[in-house]
Amino acid sequence: MKICFKPRGERGSLTIFFSLALPVLVLFLGIMLDITRMKAASNILEEGLYGGLDSTLANYNKELRQEYGLFAVSSSEAEIFKDVLFYDLQDSVEIMNSEITYLDSLSEQNILKDQILEEMKITGLVNIGKDFLNQLKNFQNLGMSENLEGLGGSKEEVSQSVQEDVAKNVKNIKALEERQKAGEEGLEEEIKGLYEENKDLVILAEDVANGDYGDEFGEKEENEKGWAESLGRLEEAYGKDIFSKGDQVDDFLQNKEKITKTENILETGLLGIRDNLLLDEYILEHFENMSGLGAGEVEEIMYGDNYVVKTILEVFLWRLTLDGIGYFVLDPKSPPEPVSRLIYSAVAGGVTAIYDTAGMLLEKDFSVPLIHIEPQGFTPLEKIEFSYRNQLQLMLLLKSEEEKLEGVYKKIAEEYGSGLYTGIKGSATCRQKIIFLSFLPDGTKILDGYVEGGYFYVSKELTKSY
Amino acid sequence: MSREAISMLVKSLLRATKKEKGSLVLEGVVVIPAIIILLVGFMLFIRVFSTEVELRQRMESLSLEISNYYYTVEMLSARIVEGIPLQGIINQDEGIFKERILSGSTLDKDDLTVGIEISEDYVVITCYYELDFLLGQRYHLVERNKRRLWTL
């Protein structure tokens, strides 16, 4: 029995076939195996680097985070990276070397600024909002609330208020006209002004009386008629030229380039102010000021060395300016003669400024009137409270962003050292034994590594930052 | 297969060997088994390798999750007192960790043992996996992963 028939002359062909095919097959599988292991080594190294870098960043300075809301890792703690990297890869590949480089230092102003803005984007805006509300409350205390309410109140209230004003003006006009008839000169302008004011008030009163603000929408014709009448009254009051500027407005609107440019300038300006305000709030929130004999960190950020003298002098000058102007302009006791008035304002302003400065610096949460005139009661501006914090806000706003950021970093570096970074770059080289491709000459590049001494070497670099 | 049949096959092979001068022996006895062994070996390697990769990825994902969201009871209390919103809570039960590793994977639940140690700063995961190898043999895979906790 024959299993397989082979004609004479083809004996041994199978042996030849397999002796050729088998090594090729073995080599193919071997190459596949080695390439898979090489690729795996590369991926494992990358994973290990990621784990090492993530762990290093996880060891961030928690005190700095809690105290100042900033994220940074210290350059002195590189061991974690190696520890985690070696632990993760110990069973898979042989690590030849590893290195960690710190990037994005907090000393770089754009990085520090970004972190500060991130930290203050909520609390800073809340603080600014609170300040604004407090100032509004002060305005309410001045008795302006009734006026504000009157303007925004019911139709009847507004109408009544306007009518009263008109009646008052009419009375004044009559009085002035009588004085004019009696021979008094120079009253024309005043009378004319009152007439103009009354015209505006009459228009306002009529608009309020006739206006229908949304209760009924079905009376289109009447509304149009009303608009035409209002327009007529406006032209009557202000002249026909009032709408003649329309063409110029159109021209301007067509000039899109100008508009875009203006918008850009406006946007940049507003963003700059916003950033500055948030930066100032950060400084005031996270650093102690001199008020109540505090540490004076805020002042040191602003002025550096000799900050005590510079701060006292600047606060005094601000107070002198505000109080001095108050005495000069608003104080009824001030002498009428200009030179005497100036001397009086300087002396009284100086004394009050000393009192204000001392109070704000020596006592915590001490507030002075925005314009301080003694005795009080002559100006409503006295009711606007101005604390040392407000004073610092004003002073900080006038400082450049660079100076403030430099000062903040200096204070942080004093406390936590200068090696504070927000990013890290890790690199490592590992090797994997080659089984089938070991015949490749040294230096052969394969995948993302190279072959040397029967090993596949691969190096990887990875960057991670906050 | 009967004894006679086997005997006949062996005799035929021997006769053929004399006539074919060994080529068929090479083919039938050496080459084909060699190829089979090679393919089986390659498949086993792929099986072990793919299991290892899968296990590594699952562990990496779990360690990342634990390091980002793990809070001890003390930490949780502190955060609640401070009014800081909780980002997430990781249950310390190892069964849940095991479920997380197995979730969406092709790994066998009975073959996997998960060990997790969470210290003050680190989470260390060790996974043991036994997979069927050949002829009832079991291959033991051990994978380790360490990660620092992102405590707040």
Side-chain angles (χ1 to χ4, degrees):
Chain A
M1 180 183 167
K2 283 185 179 178
I3 288 176
C4 182
F5 173 76
K6 290 279 173 193
R8 263 174 210 281
E10 289 188 21
R11 281 182 180 177
S13 61
L14 281 173
T15 312
I16 294 163
F17 174 73
F18 279 112
S19 63
L20 289 172
L22 199 63
V24 172
L25 189 69
V26 169
L27 193 66
F28 174 73
L29 291 178
I31 290 170
M32 289 280 284
L33 203 114
D34 267 347
I35 285 176
T36 311
R37 292 178 77 238
M38 286 172 188
K39 189 69 191 159
S42 173
N43 289 344
I44 287 168
L45 181 64
E46 202 169 309
E47 272 178 24
L49 277 176
Y50 181 83
L53 292 178
D54 195 52
S55 296
T56 311
L57 282 182
N59 188 43
Y60 64 96
N61 193 323
K62 290 176 184 64
E63 276 180 35
L64 178 67
R65 181 76 184 163
Q66 278 167 1
E67 195 75 18
Y68 295 105
L70 301 175
F71 178 92
V73 285
S74 176
S75 60
S76 59
E77 294 164 15
E79 285 308 308
I80 294 167
F81 172 69
K82 287 186 179 177
D83 178 31
V84 172
L85 185 70
F86 276 81
Y87 189 89
D88 282 0
L89 305 190
Q90 60 184 325
D91 299 323
S92 309
V93 290
E94 195 181 339
I95 298 168
M96 305 308 293
N97 60 59
S98 65
E99 197 182 357
I100 187 164
T101 315
Y102 289 87
L103 312 165
D104 304 336
S105 169
L106 267 191
S107 61
E108 289 175 39
Q109 293 204 336
N110 57 333
I111 288 167
L112 182 62
K113 185 186 162 189
D114 283 351
Q115 285 215 29
I116 288 174
L117 294 183
E118 182 67 21
E119 162 72 4
M120 296 308 289
K121 69 181 178 188
I122 296 171
T123 50
L125 290 173
V126 169
N127 285 352
I128 293 168
K130 274 183 184 171
D131 275 358
F132 183 69
L133 280 175
N134 283 337
Q135 294 305 331
L136 273 185
K137 277 181 188 170
N138 287 330
F139 273 105
Q140 281 183 334
N141 292 338
L142 290 175
M144 292 176 74
S145 56
E146 295 109 41
N147 292 338
L148 291 169
E149 277 170 18
L151 283 174
S154 67
K155 191 193 282 186
E156 289 72 25
E157 284 170 344
V158 175
S159 289
Q160 198 182 341
S161 163
V162 172
Q163 281 168 17
E164 281 169 8
D165 288 344
V166 170
K168 197 174 155 190
N169 278 348
V170 169
K171 203 176 168 185
N172 287 339
I173 290 167
K174 276 183 183 171
L176 286 169
E177 281 175 344
E178 277 175 17
R179 278 162 62 188
Q180 201 176 26
K181 278 180 190 171
E184 193 173 335
E185 288 181 356
L187 297 171
E188 287 88 356
E189 285 298 313
E190 203 174 342
I191 294 168
K192 199 180 168 188
L194 284 170
Y195 268 118
E196 290 297 321
E197 195 181 320
N198 255 11
K199 269 185 187 175
D200 297 346
L201 287 168
V202 167
I203 291 167
L204 177 65
E206 283 184 15
D207 281 348
V208 170
N210 298 330
D212 188 348
Y213 301 101
D215 289 332
E216 290 171 22
F217 295 98
E219 299 162 358
K220 193 184 168 190
E221 283 179 12
E222 281 183 24
N223 282 342
E224 280 176 0
K225 198 180 161 192
W227 273 109
E229 280 176 8
S230 297
L231 195 67
R233 283 200 299 274
L234 281 169
E235 284 180 349
E236 197 183 315
Y238 296 104
K240 298 239 176 204
D241 289 344
I242 187 168
F243 297 112
S244 66
K245 306 290 181 192
D247 293 342
Q248 288 173 28
V249 174
D250 286 344
D251 289 346
F252 180 73
L253 287 172
Q254 280 165 8
N255 195 343
K256 288 183 180 175
E257 202 180 320
K258 269 186 189 173
I259 294 169
T260 314
K261 204 175 167 185
T262 314
E263 278 176 354
N264 287 343
I265 292 167
L266 196 65
E267 193 180 332
T268 313
L270 287 173
L271 286 177
I273 291 168
R274 183 203 63 184
D275 290 356
N276 249 317
L277 284 172
L278 290 179
L279 177 58
D280 297 349
E281 277 304 314
Y282 175 84
I283 294 170
L284 292 169
E285 196 75 8
H286 291 85
F287 296 93
E288 200 180 344
N289 61 46
M290 278 168 61
S291 175
L293 300 175
E297 290 171 322
V298 176
E299 293 80 359
E300 196 179 344
I301 286 168
M302 284 195 292
Y303 300 113
D305 299 334
N306 297 327
Y307 64 91
V308 177
V309 177
K310 286 176 184 170
T311 305
I312 293 172
L313 193 66
E314 181 148 346
V315 173
F316 172 74
L317 286 173
W318 268 103
R319 292 314 313 165
L320 179 66
T321 310
L322 289 168
D323 295 342
I325 289 171
Y327 279 109
F328 190 84
V329 179
L330 301 167
D331 187 6
K333 307 188 301 306
S334 189
E337 200 272 315
V339 178
S340 314
R341 199 178 179 99
L342 192 68
I343 293 166
Y344 169 79
S345 306
V347 173
V351 173
T352 318
I354 290 170
Y355 169 79
D356 290 348
T357 308
M360 285 201 285
L361 289 170
L362 296 173
E363 203 175 316
K364 211 163 182 64
D365 302 325
F366 183 85
S367 290
V368 294
L370 177 64
I371 290 180
H372 194 176
I373 303 168
E374 284 294 339
Q376 293 184 21
F378 294 110
T379 164
L381 292 172
E382 290 169 344
K383 300 243 172 97
I384 299 176
E385 288 183 350
F386 198 72
S387 65
Y388 184 61
R389 196 177 193 279
N390 298 136
Q391 180 68 55
L392 287 175
Q393 276 174 326
L394 198 61
M395 284 151 70
L396 277 166
L397 204 59
L398 299 175
K399 287 274 161 196
S400 75
E401 191 178 283
E402 288 75 23
E403 278 178 303
K404 286 183 274 192
L405 287 169
E406 198 182 319
V408 169
Y409 178 72
K410 201 177 158 192
K411 289 301 297 173
I412 289 167
E414 270 174 22
E415 203 169 335
Y416 297 99
S418 56
L420 296 168
Y421 298 86
T422 58
I424 38 175
K425 184 169 78 178
S427 59
T429 303
C430 73
R431 70 177 189 179
Q432 177 85 297
K433 182 79 183 158
I434 302 173
I435 301 167
F436 291 92
L437 289 174
S438 52
F439 59 84
L440 289 172
D442 286 357
T444 307
K445 286 186 178 173
I446 186 163
L447 295 175
D448 44 2
Y450 60 94
V451 174
E452 197 175 297
Y455 283 91
F456 170 70
Y457 286 80
V458 62
S459 297
K460 287 272 172 189
E461 195 177 274
L462 205 68
T463 302
K464 212 166 184 287
S465 66
Y466 174 65
Chain B
M1 206 183 271
S2 66
R3 188 175 286 180
E4 290 78 21
I6 294 169
S7 167
M8 272 182 71
L9 183 66
V10 172
K11 281 177 185 172
S12 306
L13 271 172
L14 288 170
R15 212 179 299 131
T17 308
K18 282 178 189 172
K19 287 184 179 175
E20 298 277 338
K21 295 185 178 173
S23 63
L24 275 179
V25 175
L26 271 173
E27 183 193 10
V29 180
V30 180
V31 179
I32 292 174
I35 292 171
I36 290 168
I37 289 167
L38 264 176
L39 289 173
V40 168
F42 189 71
M43 282 169 70
L44 284 173
F45 166 76
I46 295 294
R47 183 167 154 72
V48 172
F49 183 75
S50 63
T51 309
E52 191 181 335
V53 169
E54 192 172 7
L55 199 56
R56 267 188 166 278
Q57 281 177 347
R58 306 299 307 170
M59 286 168 70
E60 179 78 14
S61 163
L62 179 65
S63 76
L64 192 67
E65 192 182 351
I66 294 173
S67 75
N68 279 334
Y69 296 113
Y70 179 79
Y71 299 107
T72 61
V73 175
E74 292 77 24
M75 287 179 207
L76 284 175
S77 312
R79 286 174 73 81
I80 290 165
V81 169
E82 287 169 22
I84 303 165
L86 301 172
Q87 290 173 327
I89 303 166
I90 298 287
N91 196 323
Q92 282 197 55
D93 183 3
E94 287 191 1
I96 290 171
F97 288 136
K98 192 173 169 180
E99 284 298 320
R100 279 175 189 272
I101 285 186
L102 289 167
S103 165
S105 78
T106 57
L107 302 170
D108 191 348
K109 188 180 180 182
D110 298 329
D111 294 334
L112 178 70
T113 310
V114 180
I116 293 190
E117 292 169 41
I118 301 176
S119 65
E120 198 180 330
D121 297 322
Y122 285 95
V123 52
V124 177
I125 307 175
T126 313
C127 280
Y128 303 92
Y129 193 75
E130 287 182 24
L131 71 159
D132 287 331
F133 198 60
L134 197 65
L135 303 170
Q137 294 293 308
R138 305 279 278 172
Y139 187 88
H140 296 264
L141 260 174
V142 182
E143 289 296 330
R144 295 180 179 87
N145 192 292
K146 186 176 181 180
R147 190 64 67 95
R148 195 176 171 89
L149 297 172
W150 276 88
T151 48
L152 298 168

